Amino acid sequence: MMRTDGYLLDHQQTEKGQRSDAFATLFDRATFRHMEGFGLGSGWRCWEVGAGGTSVVSWLAKKVGPTGKVIATDTDISWAVPSVTRPPVEALVHQVGVDQPPGEGFDLVHARLALVHAPDRERALLSMINALRPGGRLLIQDADPDLQPLACLEESGPEHQLANRLRQAVRALLAERGVDPAYGRRLPRLLRAAGLRGVEADVYFPVASPNCAALESATILRVGEALVAANLATSEEIDRHLANVAVGTMDIAAPPLISAWGRKA
């Protein structure tokens, strides 16, 4: 699917970095668990697609060591501070599916919340697979807010009803901008159709973590003006919801993150 609008809500666009930090704290462990399961280690060549921050890049650098390589690409690499972008890390401005891959023969290619935002998802996926060596691993992670569309699983008060109404409004806004809210569930089929072997998938669904609340607040702050402009919410509703979340008594759920992986033949 082609998108004509700019990114609305990817993991690198943050409210003072809060969204990126909360997202990393929530989901890095799931990402690292899969990578370790592939046998990631010294000397591996890795491509981190749409890096958006330093947490995964820094972790990969420690794992591959001085004999390995980590190429981190993004449309905006303002996060790439000198303390991170030193050997074995190289950061490059790059748009997946538009620009040519930054190399070939990678042992691991990983994209988290990047493919769903790509201008041409099919071309982006094929470019990542083509960049792998035979036997190399691809790990794609994308949220699936249609799989579990609620911000509050237990709707026991007006604050929970408002939270769920705003979560629905955010989903509607993303859909208008070309983001498929059910994309995550399609990943296993897409990876098999692209010729990958040993395709598997799982889902990680955090609930009631302080970082879920932090992610919720940062998300609403990021898209609040767009919600109001689209008549999907009022400024008063957004302010009231942010105040409710700040109290810390609501069990906020993050959208499920689906991970799908396979190896190149």
Side-chain angles (χ1 to χ4, degrees):
M1 177 177 181
M2 296 293 292
R3 281 191 308 109
T4 57
D5 294 284
Y7 287 9
L8 174 70
L9 189 61
D10 58 38
H11 62 299
Q12 77 227 30
Q13 293 182 316
T14 69
E15 184 68 20
K16 298 181 180 178
Q18 294 174 0
R19 178 175 163 80
S20 182
D21 292 344
F23 193 91
T25 303
L26 280 171
F27 294 113
D28 275 358
R29 285 184 296 174
T31 298
F32 300 160
R33 172 173 57 85
H34 289 305
M35 291 178 175
E36 288 183 326
F38 301 154
L40 172 70
S42 178
W44 276 45
R45 299 185 69 251
C46 306
W47 176 17
E48 179 66 13
V49 181
T54 63
S55 64
V56 175
V57 174
S58 297
W59 186 87
L60 282 171
K62 292 178 182 178
K63 287 292 184 179
V64 305
T67 61
K69 183 71 176 179
V70 178
I71 297 181
T73 62
D74 212 333
T75 56
D76 176 3
I77 59 171
S78 58
W79 52 265
V81 295
S83 60
V84 173
T85 54
R86 58 188 180 188
V89 175
E90 181 181 2
L92 301 172
V93 175
H94 176 274
Q95 188 167 21
V96 66
V98 176
D99 302 323
Q100 290 296 313
E104 58 184 15
F106 289 103
D107 300 289
L108 170 66
V109 175
H110 171 242
R112 188 171 72 184
L113 285 194
L115 189 55
V116 72
H117 292 284
D120 186 331
R121 295 168 192 150
E122 181 178 1
R123 184 177 177 185
L125 178 61
L126 290 177
S127 73
M128 288 186 276
I129 293 173
N130 289 337
L132 287 167
R133 66 166 176 80
R137 300 283 189 153
L138 178 69
L139 172 62
I140 306 293
Q141 298 179 295
D142 263 305
D144 192 323
D146 266 6
L147 186 64
Q148 194 299 104
L150 301 177
C152 295
L153 303 182
E154 184 181 23
E155 200 174 80
S156 59
E159 68 274 26
H160 307 113
Q161 294 171 355
L162 175 59
N164 287 340
R165 189 161 68 250
L166 289 180
R167 179 67 63 87
Q168 183 178 5
V170 171
R171 288 169 56 230
L173 188 64
L174 290 172
E176 287 180 4
R177 302 298 177 91
V179 175
D180 182 356
Y183 186 71
R185 74 190 66 179
R186 310 188 207 287
L187 289 173
R189 174 176 57 82
L190 294 173
L191 266 57
R192 284 194 303 271
L196 292 186
R197 305 286 180 84
V199 172
E200 298 182 55
D202 67 11
V203 61
Y204 179 58
F205 176 32
V207 180
S209 163
N211 287 293
C212 289
L215 182 61
E216 175 73 5
S217 294
T219 298
I220 295 299
L221 285 168
R222 174 70 185 89
V223 302
E225 290 184 2
L227 290 175
V228 173
N231 294 318
L232 293 170
T234 67
S235 297
E236 188 276 331
E237 286 175 326
I238 289 171
D239 290 343
R240 179 153 43 96
H241 176 56
L242 290 171
N244 291 339
V245 174
V247 172
T249 57
M250 288 199 300
D251 293 331
I252 299 291
L257 184 76
I258 294 181
S259 302
W261 61 94
R263 68 180 184 277
K264 186 175 181 178

